[in-house]
Amino acid sequence: MIRWIIIFLVIALIAGVLGFGGIAGASAGIAKIIFYIFLVVLVVSLLMRILRK
């Protein structure tokens, strides 16, 4: 999932440099959403690991 975040951030940066504001904003938004999903999955995974012990 981190790979997808990095891909969308790179797309957003390249689109921002080239002046494509809409594409840059959309890519940055997608990267943020995937990042928050990753954080939730990480926290759930850590909690499950703690509760199993």
Side-chain angles (χ1 to χ4, degrees):
M1 233 186 251
I2 292 179
R3 185 170 146 206
W4 285 106
I5 295 169
I6 293 170
I7 289 170
F8 280 111
L9 283 176
V10 168
I11 291 171
L13 290 173
I14 292 171
V17 168
L18 295 177
F20 300 111
I23 296 171
S27 295
I30 292 170
K32 285 180 187 177
I33 291 169
I34 295 173
F35 176 72
Y36 291 127
I37 291 171
F38 172 76
L39 284 180
V40 169
V41 170
L42 177 68
V43 169
V44 169
S45 175
L46 290 174
L47 287 174
M48 293 299 290
R49 191 172 196 178
I50 290 171
L51 292 176
R52 285 186 183 175
K53 290 183 178 181

